[in-house]
Amino acid sequence: MSFSNDVRQEICSSVNDKDRRFACLYGMLLFCRSLTREHICFQSESRISAELFCSLFSAVFRRELSITEHTRKNGVVLCSCDADGEDAEAVFQKYHLADDARLIDSEIIATNSLGVFTAGVFLACGSVNDPNKEYHLEFACPEEQLAQQLATLLGDIGVTAKTVLRRGQHIVYIKGSESIEDTLTFIGASQCTLELMNTKIYKDIRNKANRIANCDAANIDKVVKAAMKQIEDIKLIDRTVGLETLSDELREVAQLRAENIDMSLQEIGETLSEPISRSGVNHRFKKLAKIADEIRGGGGANAK
């Protein structure tokens, strides 16, 4: 089951009193596929949404509707609920719908019903991506004015929603986990909100662990390359002028490095007969590197 279906399932279970049924059905009707005085058609790929539409229609209008199924070429089953004639006319009278345009009538929805109305809108035309993949919630609205009104309504609850025309549909979309969390909570899907938050926490921890691992790997690689360069310098000095020509301090560091490629500078400093700091060890290796460079340049070596 998809995350969108999880949201629909939770919404459907929360529509459980007269006012909520009336408001939810209003959202489903206003944003359904077809809405005229002669014919109303609610369509959804979700069987549970279609069943709720029929249930709400029966509760509000005392009229029974049936669900018909149509399988698309891609194998997806589309559920349709149709209301014709007197049933459609009853809807227009009950919700004071206009013939020329679909508009949200704020007077029909009490303040405490805005959330469940928006839940009905989601059931009619909404979808939300799996948070494991990306944070994206959208409503495919049937008309431009409805899209603008919905974006304004979401803005009133502090959610930034944008609109775009995609393949002839007016899309209201929301990006960002926090905005989607607020929207899901607003429409009554609080458990799905918690699931999204848990997913975000897991992703953040995983990404942080990956960054740390990558950083550690890069640091290890850097240390190994530095150690190999130091050993290369030490072997060159030993092969040409001999380590015995070095000062006691440089010779001790050189021998420790040659025998311990995996030792850090700090560990080398702590192992010396007279322990020194990491920066002190690094300074001695710079002296060895300078001697090696002089040998490569044919200028001899100063082993002090």
Side-chain angles (χ1 to χ4, degrees):
M1 183 178 289
S2 69
F3 188 66
S4 279
N5 280 333
D6 289 343
V7 174
R8 295 186 187 102
Q9 181 83 46
E10 187 174 359
I11 289 172
C12 290
S13 65
S14 68
V15 185
N16 49 21
D17 63 40
K18 182 179 178 180
D19 290 339
R20 294 175 70 83
R21 294 187 187 101
F22 183 84
C24 186
L25 181 60
Y26 182 42
M28 297 177 83
L29 285 164
L30 202 57
F31 285 77
C32 71
R33 179 181 178 183
S34 176
L35 183 64
T36 68
R37 287 186 182 273
E38 294 74 33
H39 178 69
I40 295 172
C41 179
F42 176 87
Q43 284 189 337
S44 176
E45 295 178 4
S46 168
R47 176 82 186 187
I48 190 172
S49 295
E51 289 176 349
L52 180 67
F53 180 83
C54 291
S55 174
L56 295 179
F57 200 92
S58 175
V60 175
F61 294 100
R62 303 291 184 235
R63 289 176 166 88
E64 300 297 327
L65 301 180
S66 59
I67 299 174
T68 57
E69 294 184 348
H70 170 71
T71 303
R72 292 174 171 172
K73 292 182 180 180
N74 59 4
V76 174
V77 177
L78 190 64
C79 299
S80 299
C81 307
D82 297 278
D84 300 295
E86 292 182 358
D87 291 343
E89 178 63 31
V91 169
F92 270 71
Q93 291 182 7
K94 188 84 169 179
Y95 286 106
H96 308 294
L97 300 177
D99 292 317
D100 55 346
R102 302 194 203 187
L103 295 172
I104 300 173
D105 188 345
S106 58
E107 292 183 3
I108 293 179
I109 310 168
T111 302
N112 60 356
S113 296
L114 283 175
V116 74
F117 163 77
T118 311
V121 176
F122 182 88
L123 293 173
C125 64
S127 64
V128 58
N129 286 29
D130 182 344
N132 284 295
K133 298 177 181 178
E134 69 170 325
Y135 302 122
H136 182 90
L137 186 152
E138 69 177 37
F139 301 86
C141 304
E143 294 185 4
E144 183 178 5
Q145 282 184 302
L146 273 182
Q148 296 295 340
Q149 282 191 299
L150 180 60
T152 300
L153 186 154
L154 292 168
D156 290 341
I157 65 168
V159 172
T160 301
K162 297 182 179 180
T163 60
V164 64
L165 184 64
R166 184 200 305 152
R167 295 192 295 273
Q169 285 189 313
H170 299 279
I171 307 297
V172 176
Y173 67 93
I174 302 166
K175 293 284 190 181
S177 59
E178 291 185 3
S179 291
I180 294 175
E181 289 164 11
D182 290 342
T183 304
L184 293 179
T185 301
F186 183 60
I187 65 177
S190 55
Q191 289 301 313
C192 288
T193 300
L194 291 175
E195 183 180 341
L196 189 153
M197 293 172 69
N198 288 336
T199 300
K200 182 174 68 173
I201 291 170
Y202 173 77
K203 286 170 67 176
D204 288 345
I205 293 174
R206 184 183 60 192
N207 290 337
K208 184 176 181 180
N210 287 338
R211 286 194 298 271
I212 291 173
N214 291 337
C215 183
D216 286 346
N219 287 337
I220 290 171
D221 189 51
K222 184 178 178 181
V223 168
V224 170
K225 286 182 178 179
M228 293 300 294
K229 175 61 169 61
Q230 291 159 3
I231 288 176
E232 182 183 329
D233 290 341
I234 292 166
K235 285 183 177 179
L236 176 62
I237 294 170
D238 189 27
R239 188 171 61 250
T240 55
V241 299
L243 295 182
E244 65 275 6
T245 63
L246 298 174
S247 66
D248 293 342
E249 292 179 347
L250 294 184
R251 184 169 60 254
E252 187 179 11
V253 166
Q255 289 173 338
L256 270 175
R257 171 52 80 206
E259 296 168 1
N260 301 278
I261 187 174
D262 58 341
M263 262 193 177
S264 67
L265 297 184
Q266 182 175 342
E267 289 171 332
I268 289 176
E270 293 172 350
T271 308
L272 292 172
S273 56
E274 293 185 13
I276 59 175
S277 66
R278 179 185 181 281
S279 61
V281 175
N282 188 51
H283 180 68
R284 292 186 185 182
F285 276 124
K286 286 182 178 180
K287 284 187 175 182
L288 290 171
K290 183 178 180 181
I291 294 170
D293 288 341
E294 289 176 353
I295 293 172
R296 292 186 184 98
N302 182 0
K304 294 182 181 180

